[in-house]
Amino acid sequence: MEIKRIPRHVSIIMDGNGRWAKQRGKERIYGHFEGAESVRACAEAAVEEGVRYLSLFAFSEENWGRPEEEVMKLMDLMMDSIKNEVGTFMDNDIRFLVLGNRARLSPSLNKAIDGLEQMTAGNDRMTMIIFLSYSGKWDILQAAKKLALRYKDDPEGLDSLEIKDFDNYLVTAGIPDPDLLIRTSGEERISNYLLWQCAYTEFYFTDILWPDFRKNEFRAALEEYAQRDRRYGKVK
Ligand code: FPP
């Protein structure tokens, strides 16, 4: 069945990898490996349905507080995914971007990310954004710091600043706000993700754990979105 109204930007809080692994008596990283397969499946479905931006919350600023071994293995998984999927990005005309506090990532991971970002810069069927070492409050603070420097000798300029101007100081500058935010695993909260950018985003919560969230589940979220009535605070 054809879905009528396709969101331009779908964002996902991928949650439940650890629980998925635990249910199977395996280590948490096993859930992250299976979760990477869900990333691939959702990216395929997004391209097929004509979604223009797919963003994924892969690692929060708070996630640095997890056991060192899990953090290391997650970073290795990111590195392997980047190295192994170059062909997939090029074949499917997908632009790749990583947004977040890049200074906290290792030099080798940053180098691999830069390489894939540059290689895919001209692709325009879909943009896939991985939020890595990201948090919403961090993003707003770094924007405020940049603004303070930019306008330190220009109080009039500062005074005339508008909301759309502030958008340009966030790491998501130039990227449309998410139309649909999906969170898996039954948790119903935003967990310091895209706080500013989700002002009018439609939320979709599901009990399905991220490693089980594949093409059919992604399409079900799009179908639900197509039924929503978006009014942006106005009256129809
Ligand atoms: C949340 O599950 C998941 C994460 C913190 C990591 C997400 C990372 C991936 C899916 C790896 C692949 C990503 C890319 C972009 C290749 P959790 O560990 O918080 O699960 P729990 O709540 O059940 O403990």
Side-chain angles (χ1 to χ4, degrees):
M1 195 186 75
E2 199 190 328
I3 305 167
K4 294 270 176 325
R5 197 160 45 100
I6 297 294
R8 183 156 61 142
H9 181 174
V10 179
S11 195
I12 310 181
I13 301 180
M14 310 180 284
D15 200 4
N17 295 349
R19 277 163 282 167
W20 189 91
K22 197 173 172 208
Q23 284 171 1
R24 286 157 183 79
K26 309 239 186 189
E27 284 186 47
R28 296 175 55 80
I29 191 67
Y30 184 70
H32 298 316
F33 283 137
E34 275 304 308
E37 287 305 312
S38 296
V39 171
R40 169 187 277 277
C42 290
E44 277 178 19
V47 166
E48 285 161 13
E49 297 296 342
V51 170
R52 297 303 310 273
Y53 296 83
L54 175 68
S55 60
L56 304 156
F57 198 13
F59 196 84
S60 70
E61 280 282 79
E62 292 80 6
N63 286 154
W64 289 111
R66 290 192 176 197
E68 200 182 328
E69 197 196 341
E70 183 177 345
V71 172
M72 268 173 55
K73 285 184 174 167
L74 265 171
M75 292 299 154
D76 286 348
L77 177 57
M78 299 297 163
M79 189 73 151
D80 289 346
S81 302
I82 288 170
K83 285 188 178 151
N84 297 333
E85 301 296 341
V86 177
T88 316
F89 282 98
M90 295 315 288
D91 292 347
N92 293 287
D93 199 13
I94 300 173
R95 178 164 70 126
F96 175 79
L97 280 182
V98 170
L99 300 178
N101 191 357
R102 294 271 303 262
R104 291 188 82 173
L105 305 181
S106 71
S108 57
L109 184 55
N110 268 321
K111 195 166 165 230
I113 292 167
D114 286 342
L116 190 55
E117 283 182 340
Q118 280 158 23
M119 202 183 301
T120 62
N123 294 352
D124 73 350
R125 190 166 178 200
M126 187 178 81
T127 298
M128 185 184 200
I129 303 152
I130 306 294
F131 283 96
L132 214 51
S133 195
Y134 180 85
S135 86
K137 288 192 179 185
W138 166 82
D139 194 4
I140 293 167
L141 181 64
Q142 67 79 34
K145 285 180 182 172
K146 277 194 275 183
L147 267 167
L149 276 180
R150 161 72 179 76
Y151 287 99
K152 71 176 168 27
D153 300 318
D154 181 10
E156 281 172 21
L158 182 64
D159 201 42
S160 63
L161 207 73
E162 294 183 15
I163 286 170
K164 63 175 172 24
D165 303 317
F166 194 85
D167 284 338
N168 293 325
Y169 289 83
L170 296 163
V171 294
T172 49
I175 294 161
D177 288 345
D179 300 291
L180 172 65
L181 174 69
I182 299 169
R183 183 169 189 157
T184 57
S185 90
E187 312 293 354
E188 300 189 353
R189 54 177 174 263
I190 194 154
S191 296
N192 205 0
Y193 186 39
L194 296 167
L195 300 179
W196 173 279
Q197 298 88 339
C198 281
Y200 275 102
T201 300
E202 296 291 328
F203 288 9
Y204 177 89
F205 298 112
T206 169
D207 287 339
I208 295 168
L209 303 178
W210 177 247
D212 291 327
F213 194 90
R214 299 287 162 99
K215 281 189 169 189
N216 284 344
E217 289 72 27
F218 186 83
R219 290 205 173 96
L222 294 194
E223 273 163 27
E224 154 102 26
Y225 171 83
Q227 313 298 322
R228 302 271 179 101
D229 181 18
R230 300 186 78 189
R231 292 189 300 276
Y232 302 94
K234 301 190 177 77
V235 176
K236 273 260 162 82

